[in-house]
Amino acid sequence: MYYVIFSEDVQDSGALRAGARPDHLARLQQLKEEGRLLAAGPCPAIDANDPGPAGFTGSLVIAEFPSLEDAQEWADADPYVAAGVYASVIVKPYKLVLP
């Protein structure tokens, strides 16, 4: 089943994100290589693909896991969590309807 992982950043998370980004992306790449990643990306703080110094306010990951517990465990082990990027992380089951 798919699960959505929605994370909200702490204020001024840019430097924290930059430090943990390579490890964060490596985990997403692994999900992609396993064919389990549906979508992933950050939420810009402004209405622009490249928010520049405004930075990002959070992230979204939609990926396949065996269970909610497995999805939560994966989310809890995110390098952004360890680096203090996220103020909160929500994990919920997700039903893909379209496309």
Side-chain angles (χ1 to χ4, degrees):
M1 174 167 210
Y2 283 110
Y3 295 87
V4 62
I5 302 168
F6 184 73
S7 306
E8 297 248 13
D9 284 20
V10 298
Q11 290 289 341
D12 301 317
S13 61
L16 297 172
R17 274 181 170 269
R21 189 168 191 262
D23 292 337
H24 171 78
L25 292 178
R27 294 178 81 233
L28 292 170
Q29 183 63 35
Q30 182 179 359
L31 285 178
K32 180 182 175 187
E33 289 170 3
E34 293 170 357
R36 298 170 44 205
L37 184 64
L38 182 64
C43 301
I46 60 173
D47 191 13
N49 279 329
D50 182 357
F56 298 95
T57 62
S59 300
L60 174 81
V61 174
I62 302 174
E64 193 172 23
F65 293 94
S67 68
L68 178 59
E69 293 78 21
D70 289 321
Q72 185 68 58
E73 184 178 305
W74 188 90
D76 291 344
D78 193 308
Y80 279 178
V81 171
V85 172
Y86 294 147
S88 66
V89 178
I90 297 170
V91 181
K92 293 184 176 186
Y94 176 79
K95 180 181 176 183
L96 179 63
V97 175
L98 293 170

